[in-house]
Amino acid sequence: MTQKVAVLGTGKIGEALLSGMIRGGWSPADLLFTARRRERADEIRGRYGIEAVSNAEAAKTADTLILTVKPQDMGALLDELAPHVPSDRLVISGAAGIPTAYLEQRLAAGTPVVRVMTNTPALVDEAMSVISAGSHATAEHLAHAEEIFGGVGKTLRVPEAQQDAATALSGSGPAYFYFLVEAMTDAGILLGLPRDKAHDLIVQAAIGAAVMLRDSGEHPVKLREAVTSPAGTTINAIRELERHGVRAALLAAIEAARDRSRELASGTG
């Protein structure tokens, strides 16, 4: 039986999912989407040939609903959807910090909910999507979520109790790397390199290092040590990073992101 999937609140991530599903073999006729602005709806419709509908129509028609709105907009969306979502619909939430129980309490009893935290590399099919089951979601529901999000990168199942940590590491993770690249580019300029050349050097170093981490199977300490010669340039740089507490700052930053995810879940933010 053909499954119809609707993406609600189609921003960049929602569009990436639609695009990924089409590349993965889904027919545009089996996809629906909603968008807040008419201009956005026209843009998506024209680009992919997918029908734009209202949130209520999506809830009535689609077998799977993917909610890609911001956490602060989730309550209003659920209030709009609740009268129209039968308990046999699969609801996938992509909102940071919002637990599955929050959705289950506002939808029909027994509605299966899956929580997914993806990240912006979904735009280039290199996402890391972390998937957790709600209390009514089955292995089949999780596999369906993996099929959808697998079109834009890798997927990983974790217990929902680990979602806030995954959000801090992976959901926010790309921003930490961009921040580091920005700082290293400034360092290149300080050392006399033009910005474009400093940028190219750092980006390729980052890509190469990431591929080695992924493909070698080696611990990052071992890979770092392979670059760190006795009394060489790298060990002097590492000494300064440790002296300035970069490792401790990263630990504190990621812990702060985890805490913010918890605040979103508790409704205190």
Short mmCIF file of all heavy atoms in Angstrom, two decimals, residues 70-123:
data_model
loop_
_atom_site.label_atom_id
_atom_site.label_comp_id
_atom_site.label_asym_id
_atom_site.label_seq_id
_atom_site.Cartn_x
_atom_site.Cartn_y
_atom_site.Cartn_z
N LYS A 70 9.28 25.15 14.59
CA LYS A 70 10.14 25.48 15.72
C LYS A 70 9.47 25.04 17.02
O LYS A 70 8.23 24.96 17.11
CB LYS A 70 10.42 26.98 15.76
CG LYS A 70 11.20 27.49 14.55
CD LYS A 70 11.39 28.98 14.59
CE LYS A 70 12.16 29.47 13.37
NZ LYS A 70 12.31 30.94 13.35
N PRO A 71 10.27 24.74 18.06
CA PRO A 71 9.69 24.25 19.31
C PRO A 71 8.60 25.17 19.87
O PRO A 71 7.57 24.68 20.36
CB PRO A 71 10.90 24.20 20.25
CG PRO A 71 12.06 23.99 19.34
CD PRO A 71 11.75 24.76 18.10
N GLN A 72 8.80 26.48 19.76
CA GLN A 72 7.82 27.40 20.34
C GLN A 72 6.50 27.43 19.57
O GLN A 72 5.50 27.95 20.07
CB GLN A 72 8.40 28.81 20.43
CG GLN A 72 8.86 29.40 19.12
CD GLN A 72 10.34 29.16 18.86
OE1 GLN A 72 10.88 28.13 19.23
NE2 GLN A 72 11.00 30.13 18.23
N ASP A 73 6.49 26.86 18.35
CA ASP A 73 5.27 26.83 17.54
C ASP A 73 4.56 25.49 17.62
O ASP A 73 3.48 25.32 17.03
CB ASP A 73 5.60 27.13 16.07
CG ASP A 73 6.16 28.53 15.88
OD1 ASP A 73 5.75 29.43 16.64
OD2 ASP A 73 6.99 28.72 14.97
N MET A 74 5.14 24.52 18.34
CA MET A 74 4.59 23.17 18.33
C MET A 74 3.22 23.10 19.01
O MET A 74 2.30 22.42 18.54
CB MET A 74 5.56 22.21 19.02
CG MET A 74 5.10 20.76 19.00
SD MET A 74 4.91 20.06 17.34
CE MET A 74 6.64 19.75 16.95
N GLY A 75 3.04 23.81 20.13
CA GLY A 75 1.77 23.76 20.84
C GLY A 75 0.61 24.22 19.98
O GLY A 75 -0.43 23.55 19.92
N ALA A 76 0.78 25.35 19.30
CA ALA A 76 -0.28 25.87 18.44
C ALA A 76 -0.58 24.92 17.28
O ALA A 76 -1.74 24.72 16.91
CB ALA A 76 0.11 27.26 17.91
N LEU A 77 0.46 24.32 16.71
CA LEU A 77 0.26 23.39 15.61
C LEU A 77 -0.52 22.16 16.08
O LEU A 77 -1.44 21.70 15.40
CB LEU A 77 1.60 22.97 15.02
CG LEU A 77 1.54 21.92 13.89
CD1 LEU A 77 0.73 22.44 12.71
CD2 LEU A 77 2.94 21.52 13.45
N LEU A 78 -0.16 21.62 17.24
CA LEU A 78 -0.87 20.45 17.75
C LEU A 78 -2.33 20.76 18.05
O LEU A 78 -3.21 19.92 17.82
CB LEU A 78 -0.17 19.92 19.00
CG LEU A 78 1.21 19.29 18.76
CD1 LEU A 78 1.87 18.96 20.09
CD2 LEU A 78 1.11 18.05 17.90
N ASP A 79 -2.59 21.96 18.56
CA ASP A 79 -3.98 22.36 18.81
C ASP A 79 -4.77 22.37 17.49
O ASP A 79 -5.95 21.99 17.47
CB ASP A 79 -4.03 23.75 19.44
CG ASP A 79 -3.57 23.76 20.89
OD1 ASP A 79 -3.52 22.67 21.50
OD2 ASP A 79 -3.25 24.85 21.40
N GLU A 80 -4.13 22.80 16.43
CA GLU A 80 -4.78 22.83 15.12
C GLU A 80 -4.98 21.43 14.55
O GLU A 80 -6.00 21.12 13.93
CB GLU A 80 -3.94 23.67 14.15
CG GLU A 80 -4.56 23.85 12.78
CD GLU A 80 -3.69 24.70 11.85
OE1 GLU A 80 -2.66 25.21 12.32
OE2 GLU A 80 -4.06 24.82 10.67
N LEU A 81 -4.01 20.55 14.79
CA LEU A 81 -4.05 19.21 14.20
C LEU A 81 -4.94 18.24 14.96
O LEU A 81 -5.56 17.35 14.36
CB LEU A 81 -2.63 18.63 14.14
CG LEU A 81 -1.62 19.30 13.22
CD1 LEU A 81 -0.27 18.60 13.35
CD2 LEU A 81 -2.09 19.26 11.76
N ALA A 82 -4.99 18.38 16.28
CA ALA A 82 -5.59 17.36 17.14
C ALA A 82 -6.98 16.90 16.69
O ALA A 82 -7.26 15.69 16.69
CB ALA A 82 -5.62 17.85 18.59
N PRO A 83 -7.88 17.80 16.28
CA PRO A 83 -9.23 17.32 15.89
C PRO A 83 -9.23 16.48 14.62
O PRO A 83 -10.24 15.82 14.32
CB PRO A 83 -10.00 18.62 15.68
CG PRO A 83 -9.24 19.68 16.39
CD PRO A 83 -7.81 19.27 16.27
N HIS A 84 -8.13 16.49 13.88
CA HIS A 84 -8.12 15.86 12.55
C HIS A 84 -7.18 14.66 12.44
O HIS A 84 -7.13 14.03 11.38
CB HIS A 84 -7.70 16.90 11.50
CG HIS A 84 -8.47 18.17 11.57
ND1 HIS A 84 -9.81 18.26 11.23
CD2 HIS A 84 -8.10 19.43 11.95
CE1 HIS A 84 -10.23 19.51 11.39
NE2 HIS A 84 -9.20 20.24 11.83
N VAL A 85 -6.43 14.35 13.49
CA VAL A 85 -5.43 13.27 13.40
C VAL A 85 -5.98 12.00 14.03
O VAL A 85 -6.09 11.92 15.25
CB VAL A 85 -4.11 13.68 14.11
CG1 VAL A 85 -3.09 12.55 14.01
CG2 VAL A 85 -3.54 14.95 13.49
N PRO A 86 -6.31 10.99 13.22
CA PRO A 86 -6.74 9.70 13.79
C PRO A 86 -5.57 9.03 14.50
O PRO A 86 -4.40 9.33 14.22
CB PRO A 86 -7.17 8.89 12.56
CG PRO A 86 -7.28 9.87 11.44
CD PRO A 86 -6.33 10.98 11.75
N SER A 87 -5.87 8.10 15.38
CA SER A 87 -4.82 7.48 16.19
C SER A 87 -3.93 6.53 15.41
O SER A 87 -2.92 6.05 15.95
CB SER A 87 -5.45 6.72 17.37
OG SER A 87 -6.29 5.69 16.89
N ASP A 88 -4.28 6.24 14.14
CA ASP A 88 -3.42 5.36 13.35
C ASP A 88 -2.40 6.12 12.52
O ASP A 88 -1.63 5.53 11.76
CB ASP A 88 -4.26 4.46 12.44
CG ASP A 88 -5.08 5.23 11.42
OD1 ASP A 88 -5.18 6.48 11.53
OD2 ASP A 88 -5.62 4.59 10.49
N ARG A 89 -2.35 7.45 12.64
CA ARG A 89 -1.35 8.24 11.93
C ARG A 89 -0.01 8.15 12.65
O ARG A 89 0.05 8.16 13.88
CB ARG A 89 -1.76 9.72 11.86
CG ARG A 89 -3.02 9.99 11.08
CD ARG A 89 -2.79 9.83 9.58
NE ARG A 89 -3.92 10.34 8.83
CZ ARG A 89 -4.94 9.60 8.40
NH1 ARG A 89 -4.95 8.30 8.65
NH2 ARG A 89 -5.94 10.13 7.72
N LEU A 90 1.07 8.09 11.87
CA LEU A 90 2.39 8.22 12.46
C LEU A 90 2.76 9.69 12.45
O LEU A 90 2.72 10.35 11.40
CB LEU A 90 3.42 7.42 11.65
CG LEU A 90 4.90 7.66 12.02
CD1 LEU A 90 5.16 7.32 13.48
CD2 LEU A 90 5.82 6.87 11.09
N VAL A 91 3.14 10.21 13.62
CA VAL A 91 3.54 11.61 13.75
C VAL A 91 5.02 11.64 14.10
O VAL A 91 5.44 11.06 15.11
CB VAL A 91 2.71 12.34 14.82
CG1 VAL A 91 3.18 13.78 14.97
CG2 VAL A 91 1.22 12.29 14.47
N ILE A 92 5.80 12.30 13.26
CA ILE A 92 7.24 12.44 13.49
C ILE A 92 7.52 13.89 13.84
O ILE A 92 7.18 14.80 13.09
CB ILE A 92 8.04 12.04 12.23
CG1 ILE A 92 7.77 10.58 11.87
CG2 ILE A 92 9.53 12.27 12.45
CD1 ILE A 92 8.43 10.13 10.58
N SER A 93 8.13 14.10 14.99
CA SER A 93 8.46 15.46 15.44
C SER A 93 9.94 15.73 15.26
O SER A 93 10.78 14.95 15.72
CB SER A 93 8.07 15.63 16.92
OG SER A 93 8.60 16.85 17.42
N GLY A 94 10.25 16.86 14.64
CA GLY A 94 11.64 17.27 14.48
C GLY A 94 11.99 18.48 15.33
O GLY A 94 13.01 19.13 15.08
N ALA A 95 11.18 18.78 16.33
CA ALA A 95 11.39 19.98 17.15
C ALA A 95 12.33 19.68 18.30
O ALA A 95 12.11 18.75 19.08
CB ALA A 95 10.05 20.50 17.69
N ALA A 96 13.37 20.49 18.44
CA ALA A 96 14.36 20.29 19.50
C ALA A 96 13.71 20.41 20.87
O ALA A 96 12.94 21.33 21.14
CB ALA A 96 15.48 21.32 19.36
N GLY A 97 14.04 19.46 21.74
CA GLY A 97 13.65 19.55 23.14
C GLY A 97 12.23 19.13 23.45
O GLY A 97 11.86 19.04 24.62
N ILE A 98 11.40 18.86 22.45
CA ILE A 98 10.00 18.52 22.70
C ILE A 98 9.87 17.00 22.83
O ILE A 98 10.07 16.27 21.85
CB ILE A 98 9.08 19.03 21.58
CG1 ILE A 98 9.26 20.53 21.38
CG2 ILE A 98 7.63 18.69 21.88
CD1 ILE A 98 8.87 21.37 22.56
N PRO A 99 9.52 16.47 24.01
CA PRO A 99 9.43 15.02 24.18
C PRO A 99 8.20 14.44 23.50
O PRO A 99 7.21 15.13 23.25
CB PRO A 99 9.35 14.85 25.70
CG PRO A 99 8.78 16.13 26.20
CD PRO A 99 9.26 17.20 25.26
N THR A 100 8.26 13.15 23.21
CA THR A 100 7.12 12.50 22.56
C THR A 100 5.87 12.56 23.44
O THR A 100 4.75 12.64 22.92
CB THR A 100 7.44 11.03 22.23
OG1 THR A 100 7.85 10.36 23.43
CG2 THR A 100 8.58 10.94 21.21
N ALA A 101 6.05 12.52 24.76
CA ALA A 101 4.89 12.56 25.66
C ALA A 101 4.08 13.84 25.47
O ALA A 101 2.85 13.83 25.61
CB ALA A 101 5.36 12.44 27.11
N TYR A 102 4.76 14.94 25.15
CA TYR A 102 4.08 16.22 24.93
C TYR A 102 3.10 16.09 23.76
O TYR A 102 1.97 16.60 23.82
CB TYR A 102 5.11 17.30 24.66
CG TYR A 102 4.55 18.68 24.38
CD1 TYR A 102 4.33 19.58 25.42
CD2 TYR A 102 4.27 19.10 23.08
CE1 TYR A 102 3.83 20.85 25.18
CE2 TYR A 102 3.78 20.38 22.83
CZ TYR A 102 3.55 21.25 23.88
OH TYR A 102 3.06 22.50 23.62
N LEU A 103 3.53 15.43 22.68
CA LEU A 103 2.66 15.24 21.53
C LEU A 103 1.57 14.23 21.83
O LEU A 103 0.40 14.43 21.47
CB LEU A 103 3.46 14.79 20.31
CG LEU A 103 4.25 15.87 19.57
CD1 LEU A 103 5.54 16.24 20.30
CD2 LEU A 103 4.57 15.43 18.14
N GLU A 104 1.94 13.13 22.51
CA GLU A 104 0.97 12.08 22.79
C GLU A 104 -0.19 12.60 23.64
O GLU A 104 -1.34 12.19 23.46
CB GLU A 104 1.67 10.92 23.51
CG GLU A 104 2.65 10.17 22.61
CD GLU A 104 3.55 9.22 23.36
OE1 GLU A 104 3.60 9.31 24.62
OE2 GLU A 104 4.22 8.42 22.71
N GLN A 105 0.10 13.51 24.57
CA GLN A 105 -0.94 14.05 25.43
C GLN A 105 -1.93 14.94 24.68
O GLN A 105 -3.07 15.13 25.14
CB GLN A 105 -0.31 14.84 26.57
CG GLN A 105 0.46 13.99 27.57
CD GLN A 105 1.36 14.81 28.47
OE1 GLN A 105 1.36 16.05 28.42
NE2 GLN A 105 2.14 14.13 29.30
N ARG A 106 -1.51 15.46 23.53
CA ARG A 106 -2.35 16.41 22.79
C ARG A 106 -2.99 15.80 21.56
O ARG A 106 -3.78 16.46 20.88
CB ARG A 106 -1.51 17.64 22.40
CG ARG A 106 -1.21 18.52 23.60
CD ARG A 106 -0.01 19.42 23.39
NE ARG A 106 0.18 20.31 24.54
CZ ARG A 106 0.73 19.92 25.69
NH1 ARG A 106 1.13 18.67 25.85
NH2 ARG A 106 0.86 20.77 26.68
N LEU A 107 -2.66 14.56 21.26
CA LEU A 107 -3.23 13.86 20.12
C LEU A 107 -4.12 12.73 20.61
O LEU A 107 -4.17 12.43 21.80
CB LEU A 107 -2.12 13.33 19.22
CG LEU A 107 -1.21 14.40 18.60
CD1 LEU A 107 -0.01 13.75 17.90
CD2 LEU A 107 -1.99 15.27 17.61
N ALA A 108 -4.79 12.06 19.69
CA ALA A 108 -5.68 10.96 20.05
C ALA A 108 -4.91 9.87 20.79
O ALA A 108 -3.75 9.60 20.49
CB ALA A 108 -6.33 10.39 18.79
N ALA A 109 -5.57 9.25 21.75
CA ALA A 109 -4.93 8.20 22.55
C ALA A 109 -4.39 7.10 21.64
O ALA A 109 -5.08 6.63 20.74
CB ALA A 109 -5.93 7.62 23.54
N GLY A 110 -3.15 6.72 21.90
CA GLY A 110 -2.55 5.64 21.14
C GLY A 110 -1.83 6.07 19.87
O GLY A 110 -1.27 5.23 19.16
N THR A 111 -1.79 7.37 19.58
CA THR A 111 -1.12 7.85 18.37
C THR A 111 0.38 7.57 18.46
O THR A 111 1.04 7.97 19.42
CB THR A 111 -1.33 9.36 18.18
OG1 THR A 111 -2.73 9.63 18.06
CG2 THR A 111 -0.62 9.85 16.92
N PRO A 112 0.94 6.87 17.45
CA PRO A 112 2.39 6.63 17.48
C PRO A 112 3.17 7.89 17.15
O PRO A 112 2.88 8.57 16.16
CB PRO A 112 2.58 5.55 16.41
CG PRO A 112 1.43 5.71 15.48
CD PRO A 112 0.29 6.23 16.31
N VAL A 113 4.15 8.22 17.98
CA VAL A 113 4.98 9.41 17.80
C VAL A 113 6.44 8.98 17.78
O VAL A 113 6.87 8.18 18.62
CB VAL A 113 4.75 10.44 18.92
CG1 VAL A 113 5.67 11.65 18.73
CG2 VAL A 113 3.29 10.89 18.94
N VAL A 114 7.18 9.50 16.83
CA VAL A 114 8.63 9.28 16.75
C VAL A 114 9.31 10.64 16.80
O VAL A 114 8.87 11.58 16.13
CB VAL A 114 9.02 8.53 15.46
CG1 VAL A 114 10.54 8.50 15.28
CG2 VAL A 114 8.47 7.11 15.48
N ARG A 115 10.33 10.75 17.61
CA ARG A 115 11.10 12.00 17.75
C ARG A 115 12.41 11.88 16.97
O ARG A 115 13.13 10.90 17.12
CB ARG A 115 11.37 12.27 19.22
CG ARG A 115 12.19 13.52 19.52
CD ARG A 115 12.27 13.70 21.02
NE ARG A 115 13.20 14.74 21.42
CZ ARG A 115 13.51 15.04 22.68
NH1 ARG A 115 12.92 14.37 23.67
NH2 ARG A 115 14.37 16.00 22.97
N VAL A 116 12.68 12.88 16.16
CA VAL A 116 13.89 12.87 15.34
C VAL A 116 14.60 14.21 15.49
O VAL A 116 13.98 15.27 15.34
CB VAL A 116 13.58 12.63 13.85
CG1 VAL A 116 14.87 12.62 13.04
CG2 VAL A 116 12.82 11.32 13.66
N MET A 117 15.88 14.17 15.79
CA MET A 117 16.70 15.38 15.74
C MET A 117 17.68 15.21 14.60
O MET A 117 18.56 14.36 14.64
CB MET A 117 17.44 15.59 17.06
CG MET A 117 18.48 16.73 17.04
SD MET A 117 17.89 18.30 16.31
CE MET A 117 16.48 18.67 17.34
N THR A 118 17.50 16.01 13.56
CA THR A 118 18.44 16.00 12.44
C THR A 118 19.25 17.29 12.50
O THR A 118 19.15 18.06 13.45
CB THR A 118 17.70 15.83 11.11
OG1 THR A 118 18.64 15.54 10.07
CG2 THR A 118 16.87 17.05 10.74
N ASN A 119 20.08 17.53 11.50
CA ASN A 119 20.85 18.77 11.48
C ASN A 119 20.97 19.31 10.06
O ASN A 119 20.56 18.66 9.09
CB ASN A 119 22.23 18.58 12.13
CG ASN A 119 23.05 17.45 11.51
OD1 ASN A 119 22.80 17.01 10.39
ND2 ASN A 119 24.05 16.98 12.24
N THR A 120 21.51 20.51 9.94
CA THR A 120 21.46 21.21 8.66
C THR A 120 22.24 20.56 7.53
O THR A 120 21.92 20.83 6.36
CB THR A 120 21.94 22.68 8.82
OG1 THR A 120 23.24 22.69 9.42
CG2 THR A 120 20.97 23.47 9.68
N PRO A 121 23.24 19.70 7.77
CA PRO A 121 23.84 19.00 6.63
C PRO A 121 22.85 18.12 5.85
O PRO A 121 23.22 17.55 4.82
CB PRO A 121 24.96 18.18 7.27
CG PRO A 121 25.38 19.01 8.43
CD PRO A 121 24.10 19.56 8.98
N ALA A 122 21.61 18.03 6.33
CA ALA A 122 20.56 17.41 5.51
C ALA A 122 20.46 18.10 4.15
O ALA A 122 20.06 17.48 3.16
CB ALA A 122 19.21 17.50 6.23
N LEU A 123 20.84 19.38 4.10
CA LEU A 123 20.76 20.13 2.85
C LEU A 123 21.73 19.60 1.80
O LEU A 123 21.56 19.85 0.61
CB LEU A 123 21.03 21.61 3.12
CG LEU A 123 20.05 22.30 4.08
CD1 LEU A 123 20.54 23.68 4.46
CD2 LEU A 123 18.66 22.36 3.48
#
